[in-house]
Amino acid sequence: MLVNPTRGFLWSDAETRALLTIWGEQDVQTALDGNFRNSHVYRDVASRLGDMGYDRTPDQCRIRVKSLKRQYYQAKDAFKKNNGQYRKLCKFFEEMERILGNRPTVDPQDMIDSVAVGDEMMDGTEEEGEGTEQSSDSYMPTATEYAEHPVKIEYPSYTIPVTVGSVPVKPINSQTRVTPSTSSCRPCRRGRKRVASLPLDKLLERFLEQSAEAEENFYKMEEQRLQQEERRREAEHARELHMLHMLGQIFGNISSGGGGGGGGGGGVGGRGGVSTASGNVSATPMQSASSPTPMSVHVAPTSSSWSQVRSQHSRQQKQQQKPPYHHHHHHQPGTVSPLSHHLPDHGLESVPVIERSFSLGSSAHSMENTLQLVKNIIPPLTSKKHKGQDGRVGIIGGCQEYTGAPYFAAISALKVGADLSHVFCTKDAATVIKSYSPELIVHPVLDSPNAVEEIEKWLPRLHTLVVGPGLGREDVLLKTAKEVIEKSKTRDIPIVIDADGLWLVAKQPSVIQGYQKGILTPNFMEFSRLYEAMHQEPLDSTDHHRNAQQLSIAMGNLTVVLKGEEDLITDGNMVLTCSQEGSGRRCGGQGDLLSGSLGAFAHWAFNAPADATKSVNPTLVAAFGATSLTRQCNRQAFHKHGRSTTTSDMIQEISAAFKKLFES
């Protein structure tokens, strides 16, 4: 993109013409005429300007338009007075005339006052100042009009020295109101005589230089004010984070000193899932006639515990033959227990459960903060690395009917930054998938009699596994996928399950239930199927946040990525919302791009230093990075191709989107 890398004050001619092209469109002008508060209009103008390759804020666009209108009206007034200098007053006179030529003439002084006072009176959303324009583009009133129209600037004063010839004139203070002098003192009369004898163009040129200097000082002071405001907001944000940290410590002290029942699974009738790092609290109060004080507090393993989970998870899986949240409950494979059965059983026969979840730190994990966590896990590019170190991703999927999905997932993992992509598919699909790209390593073993053994030989070489793209629903293929998942769990490999892999999970939840390095990426239909399978009741679609959390908890706090208008990412303790702007285009294969890139991000997240994710579940950080990247690719591809956008177009945008999100 032709992005201006600085926050400078100057606009290039090409940038200004692009702004006028957008601002002059009929829909923009209609919106500006019909709304007194028009910040949303300039946000749209800035967005469209960004799509053309120029990075400007809405406030910068608004101030630039104000300046251009000011220049235009003054030039038009000079033209009426047959002043030959009017072309110098407005460099973009023709463009402005095309837009504003048929409108009633606006007093130029109104434009001067509106800019001097600031844009706050228009919509109250002034956030950033804009600098002065180049002297060739700048407009300042003529000497005659300066005397006719008083100027009032409500900002800290600065003196504008005015020198006419060799006679100094009393400096003009920017805080004072300049009016025609009626004094009859001799020095003033002598000054006016000298002014009359000075050429008008020289006087105008000198006045423009001095006024431009005053305007530049004004914008510099405004920039300083904005910087101070930014520092104040950052300090406020730091205080909020500190308060959240103190609150988490309080909960931790209560948990360690209260003597509630059970350190690993939460006490009887206690409050489960108090996450100090994520700022999310999940409370589950329970009542029992046999317990007069039925409350204890359990701190969920989301702070320092995540580093322990990374190193101890393999040993715990070998010791525990059944997944978490199934204490004293035995279910046959393929059966599903309701959510209440996933709570610890301590002899309570009839316990009413009330669940409530709320967030203490939504501001602590905004889009910007979470994107920073994603940047922390991305490995740097260095010549000291060897091939395969930044990720070897395996794709389980691809049959005769579906060859595009595994290709999209595998090539997306490569383009995001993984070093190698392996595709384990059927024999019928292997030749087709290999023909799509020579970069992929294709294994035609998925439908062979010894498929599990053939794939298991490659598992020690893989960092992550993506199960489901193009898998199909044949019993033989689903059985093979299930056994491969079981083998991968014993090796502590992160597993992403998508598409037909989610069909397998809905039929047999135990295949992935409780595996903390498992990630599910359902769309709404797949999510509804999983939810109804786990809870034995229809999905209430009015509260997606609560539904996603409940499904994650029922699955043993697996990370669930609910794709939709906004992607919801939760591990049961914390909910992240990815609202990165995409487009309205929904073509087949976008989910495969997400799952493939998530395979690379998952390896990076678990391979990053322990403090890189700031005590946030690494699977949440990886999922947020993949969803943000997919949405950005969709937006960029739609900008180029519109309604004809396909997933192949989106894959071509991965490099630029990755750089914009994570390397800028």
Side-chain angles (χ1 to χ4, degrees):
M1 293 178 58
L2 304 175
V3 178
N4 187 351
T6 68
R7 293 181 59 193
F9 301 135
L10 304 181
W11 286 65
S12 65
D13 290 354
E15 196 173 6
T16 301
R17 289 190 172 90
L19 173 65
L20 290 176
T21 300
I22 298 171
W23 179 73
E25 293 182 4
Q26 185 62 37
D27 59 335
V28 175
Q29 290 297 312
T30 303
L32 290 172
D33 291 341
N35 294 275
F36 179 71
R37 301 178 66 84
N38 52 29
S39 59
H40 65 284
V41 180
Y42 282 99
R43 278 198 297 270
D44 180 63
V45 171
S47 174
R48 292 162 67 177
L49 194 62
D51 292 338
M52 296 178 67
Y54 302 105
D55 190 11
R56 289 288 181 174
T57 67
D59 299 306
Q60 291 173 333
C61 295
R62 181 172 58 246
I63 292 175
R64 180 59 171 156
V65 168
K66 292 278 188 187
S67 176
L68 292 170
K69 289 173 67 176
R70 210 164 66 243
Q71 299 169 25
Y72 166 73
Y73 284 120
Q74 181 55 28
K76 197 169 185 178
D77 187 65
F79 176 72
K80 292 179 181 179
K81 297 178 181 179
N82 296 322
N83 186 345
Q85 301 296 322
Y86 81 96
R87 289 285 179 177
K88 295 182 180 180
L89 300 178
C90 183
K91 185 174 183 178
F92 302 95
F93 185 84
E94 287 77 9
E95 290 86 345
M96 297 297 292
E97 177 70 15
R98 176 179 55 81
I99 301 170
L100 302 176
N102 297 327
R103 295 193 169 200
T105 302
V106 179
D107 188 347
Q109 190 59 38
D110 293 341
M111 306 303 300
I112 297 172
D113 289 343
S114 66
V115 172
V117 175
D119 289 334
E120 291 87 347
M121 296 185 63
M122 173 162 290
D123 56 15
T125 60
E126 182 75 2
E127 290 292 339
E128 295 185 15
E130 171 66 302
T132 57
E133 324 300 336
Q134 299 182 31
S135 59
S136 62
D137 292 349
S138 301
Y139 156 73
M140 283 296 156
T142 62
T144 306
E145 285 161 351
Y146 186 86
E148 293 176 357
H149 299 284
V151 177
K152 182 178 179 182
I153 302 179
E154 298 180 359
Y155 277 89
S157 60
Y158 21 69
T159 303
I160 305 175
V162 180
T163 304
V164 181
S166 61
V167 180
V169 182
K170 182 179 179 180
I172 301 173
N173 190 292
S174 63
Q175 193 69 19
T176 61
R177 191 174 181 89
V178 181
T179 56
S181 175
T182 57
S183 173
S184 60
C185 64
R186 259 174 223 268
C188 294
R189 285 202 301 272
R190 283 200 299 270
R192 284 198 295 272
K193 291 179 182 178
R194 298 294 291 270
V195 169
S197 62
L198 195 68
L200 180 61
D201 56 345
K202 293 291 185 181
L203 177 63
L204 177 61
E205 181 180 355
R206 187 170 301 172
F207 185 82
L208 287 175
E209 292 175 356
Q210 296 167 353
S211 300
E213 182 181 354
E215 189 173 359
E216 182 178 0
N217 291 335
F218 156 70
Y219 283 121
K220 286 181 179 179
M221 297 185 66
E222 181 68 8
E223 185 72 18
Q224 294 174 0
R225 182 187 69 80
L226 291 172
Q227 291 175 355
Q228 293 175 356
E229 181 69 16
E230 183 67 23
R231 286 194 292 268
R232 182 190 66 78
R233 283 198 295 266
E234 290 177 355
E236 236 176 65
H237 180 64
R239 284 196 298 271
E240 290 176 359
L241 291 178
H242 180 65
M243 291 298 295
L244 287 172
H245 181 68
M246 292 179 60
L247 182 60
Q249 291 179 340
I250 293 172
F251 278 120
N253 292 335
I254 294 175
S255 174
S256 60
V268 178
R271 294 177 179 261
V274 180
S275 172
T276 62
S278 65
N280 288 268
V281 178
S282 176
T284 310
M286 303 171 64
Q287 298 178 355
S288 171
S290 62
S291 178
T293 310
M295 282 202 176
S296 65
V297 177
H298 166 60
V299 179
T302 56
S303 54
S304 61
S305 316
W306 272 114
S307 59
Q308 301 172 2
V309 169
R310 297 184 187 188
S311 60
Q312 299 178 1
H313 187 268
S314 178
R315 185 175 68 255
Q316 293 172 353
Q317 285 294 84
K318 294 178 181 178
Q319 294 173 354
Q320 298 177 359
Q321 297 302 321
K322 47 183 179 289
Y325 298 92
H326 277 262
H327 305 282
H328 305 294
H329 286 272
H330 302 278
H331 300 282
Q332 298 297 326
T335 62
V336 180
S337 61
L339 179 61
S340 59
H341 291 174
H342 294 279
L343 295 172
D345 184 0
H346 295 276
L348 299 179
E349 296 181 356
S350 177
V351 183
V353 178
I354 303 175
E355 294 188 350
R356 200 177 71 181
S357 177
F358 55 93
S359 171
L360 290 176
S362 58
S363 62
H365 289 281
S366 62
M367 284 280 292
E368 292 77 9
N369 291 340
T370 313
L371 281 175
Q372 183 57 50
L373 297 183
V374 179
K375 294 178 183 179
N376 293 345
I377 69 172
I378 296 174
L381 297 176
T382 170
S383 59
K384 297 181 180 180
K385 292 184 178 180
H386 57 78
K387 181 179 66 177
Q389 190 171 344
D390 280 343
R392 298 185 292 270
V393 180
I395 311 296
I396 306 296
C399 60
Q400 183 177 9
E401 293 83 2
Y402 307 112
T403 58
Y407 161 73
F408 287 144
I411 200 67
S412 297
L414 281 180
K415 286 187 171 291
V416 165
D419 292 338
L420 297 170
S421 278
H422 295 258
V423 179
F424 300 91
C425 61
T426 65
K427 294 179 181 179
D428 294 335
T431 304
V432 180
I433 296 174
K434 190 66 177 177
S435 68
Y436 292 152
S437 172
E439 286 89 359
L440 306 182
I441 305 171
V442 182
H443 307 269
V445 299
L446 195 57
D447 55 348
S448 62
N450 59 339
V452 177
E453 290 76 10
E454 290 291 333
I455 298 174
E456 187 179 9
K457 290 189 298 187
W458 288 91
L459 291 183
R461 309 185 191 182
L462 300 180
H463 291 131
T464 55
L465 203 65
V466 180
V467 180
L471 178 63
R473 298 180 181 178
E474 294 185 13
D475 293 339
V476 175
L477 300 181
L478 292 176
K479 182 176 182 295
T480 300
K482 176 186 175 182
E483 294 182 16
V484 171
I485 292 174
E486 295 290 351
K487 299 288 185 182
S488 302
K489 287 163 58 178
T490 62
R491 293 185 173 275
D492 204 34
I493 299 176
I495 303 173
V496 180
I497 300 184
D498 185 37
D500 293 323
L502 296 171
W503 175 270
L504 171 64
V505 173
K507 298 299 181 183
Q508 303 181 48
S510 60
V511 70
I512 195 66
Q513 195 170 27
Y515 185 58
Q516 296 302 302
K517 289 189 177 181
I519 307 174
L520 308 181
T521 59
N523 57 30
F524 183 75
M525 292 301 298
E526 293 163 340
F527 178 84
S528 302
R529 188 184 303 120
L530 287 169
Y531 185 92
E532 292 172 5
M534 295 303 299
H535 294 83
Q536 301 297 319
E537 61 181 19
L539 173 66
D540 179 11
S541 60
T542 58
D543 190 347
H544 293 319
H545 285 75
R546 180 174 180 274
N547 293 336
Q549 276 188 297
Q550 285 186 337
L551 178 60
S552 175
I553 293 171
M555 292 296 298
N557 286 89
L558 250 68
T559 294
V560 175
V561 181
L562 174 55
K563 299 177 288 191
E565 183 177 2
E566 291 183 336
D567 294 333
L568 299 180
I569 309 166
T570 180
D571 61 353
N573 297 316
M574 182 182 192
V575 178
L576 297 178
T577 301
C578 180
S579 54
Q580 182 77 24
E581 184 179 355
S583 77
R585 174 65 171 150
R586 295 291 181 268
C587 55
Q590 296 186 52
D592 305 311
L593 191 159
L594 170 63
S595 61
S597 59
L598 181 51
F601 277 106
H603 166 60
W604 296 344
F606 282 102
N607 200 45
D611 60 344
T613 59
K614 306 296 183 183
S615 302
V616 178
N617 188 339
T619 56
L620 293 180
V621 178
F624 191 89
T627 54
S628 301
L629 179 66
T630 303
R631 286 173 166 269
Q632 182 66 24
C633 290
N634 182 265
R635 179 188 180 191
Q636 293 179 190
F638 184 79
H639 176 67
K640 293 182 178 180
H641 304 281
R643 190 175 291 274
S644 64
T645 301
T646 63
T647 302
S648 297
D649 300 324
M650 293 173 56
I651 290 174
Q652 297 304 316
E653 298 296 326
I654 289 179
S655 175
F658 191 97
K659 183 176 181 180
K660 181 177 180 63
L661 288 176
F662 309 125
E663 295 178 349
S664 59

